[in-house]
Amino acid sequence: MPEQGPRMNSFSLGELCWLFCCPPCPSRIAAKLAFLPPEPTYSIHTDPGGATSLHLTERADWQYSQRELDAVEVLVTRTSRGNRVGCMFVRCAPASRYTLLFSHGNAVDLGQMCSFYIGLGSRINCNVFSYDYSGYGVSTGKPSEKNLYADIEAAWQVLRNK
């Protein structure tokens, strides 16, 4: 019987390599381990005049009134890699000179973070601009390291130019 080699918690080294490295591409390994997009908790609706509005699902856990929700601006922009990325501008402090560009954590989308942004911006007296990663929320494409860099660059350009 052939020797199976060292085993780690009942997995052989070969099995672990196949699990994480098949196909053996470092970016795919990172994508398998790092990106966990949730089911979308929001949608962006566009009226006939071209104005956009945010619609949250129950899973978004909204903690404020309709007035605060109406003050949240949403838009979709395109990245250099061709993906459409959802963006959100939360005007927490209208007289503020500062806007925080916020990259949210993994396994959440803008709908889940929206209430947090209002609380954060109100506490530190600034506005908050955020975006979803490719494959998260209303954003198209697949989550990957290369797409992540294109997503933040697109968000930065929207924040600076609009």
Side-chain angles (χ1 to χ4, degrees), residues 31-107:
K32 285 181 182 181
L33 297 174
F35 300 109
L36 303 168
E39 290 294 318
T41 62
Y42 72 100
S43 59
I44 298 175
H45 294 198
T46 305
D47 69 18
T52 58
S53 60
L54 175 67
H55 293 268
L56 300 171
T57 69
E58 286 184 18
R59 291 183 337 120
D61 193 28
W62 180 248
Q63 301 171 10
Y64 295 92
S65 71
Q66 185 64 39
R67 184 176 65 86
E68 283 90 359
L69 185 60
D70 292 341
V72 174
E73 299 174 36
V74 289
L75 62 108
V76 176
T77 190
R78 191 164 296 277
T79 71
S80 61
R81 295 179 57 83
N83 295 325
R84 293 172 42 90
V85 174
C87 298
M88 177 180 288
F89 181 71
V90 183
R91 192 175 301 277
C92 306
S96 176
R97 293 179 29 208
Y98 302 104
T99 298
L100 175 68
L101 175 57
F102 194 99
S103 297
H104 62 70
N106 197 2

Side-chain angles (χ1 to χ4, degrees), residues 139-161:
S139 299
T140 62
K142 293 193 180 277
S144 72
E145 185 179 356
K146 288 181 180 180
N147 283 339
L148 180 67
Y149 296 134
D151 299 342
I152 184 92
E153 181 63 32
W156 173 242
Q157 291 307 318
V158 168
L159 180 58
R160 291 185 65 213
N161 298 321

